[in-house]
Amino acid sequence: MQWLSNTLYKLSVYVISIMLGTMLVVTLLEVFARNVLGFSFSWSGELSRFLLIWITFFGASAVYKRLEMPAFDLLTAKLSEKKNGSIIFKITNLLIIVFSVIIAYSGFLESFSKTVRMQSTPSLNISMTYPYLAIPIGMTIILIHATAFLIGEKANKKGVRL
């Protein structure tokens, strides 16, 4: 499980980098087209929004893997010196697993619902399923990380075993 978690972390960071780069290029291209060429691309704003959604959920999974979420750190940092820190860490991960399962399951159901599949985006003309899938996929990755933390070896300070 630890291997899968680490592999997904590395893949997430790579995908986030590509998405951020793409978003930067698209945004700069749009600014150039508007200010210099005097026209606007109809698809650039939509693509940037969808990339931001995907970056958010992949980023959340990467940040969770590194144990850098503020609320999580606040709770465990206070107790890390005590014996209860390990118990709190396990309880927190168990709660995150339950939450992730619920959100991922609901997200997959919603993403593939008939209503969503029938909708298409105005500019890119792609199914709304693709933007919606960011939520369940991101939560599934968080679920894998939490499970690896719960049943796996102890994580280092940053949570990453590379």
Side-chain angles (χ1 to χ4, degrees), residues 12 17 34 98 101 120:
S12 294
S17 300
R34 269 192 200 173
V98 171
V101 166
S120 62

Side-chain angles (χ1 to χ4, degrees), residues 45-96:
E46 193 171 278
L47 179 60
S48 292
R49 275 190 304 275
F50 293 155
L51 286 171
L52 184 61
I53 292 166
W54 278 90
I55 289 167
T56 299
F57 284 95
F58 272 77
S61 71
V63 168
Y64 177 72
K65 173 68 175 169
R66 293 179 56 90
L67 298 176
E68 292 181 348
M69 293 185 135
F72 187 79
D73 187 45
L74 178 69
L75 179 64
T76 56
K78 297 248 186 220
L79 299 171
S80 63
E81 301 299 324
K82 301 177 184 175
K83 293 180 182 180
N84 292 340
S86 176
I87 295 168
I88 296 295
F89 184 75
K90 289 177 181 178
I91 291 171
T92 303
N93 278 299
L94 187 60
L95 290 172
I96 289 171

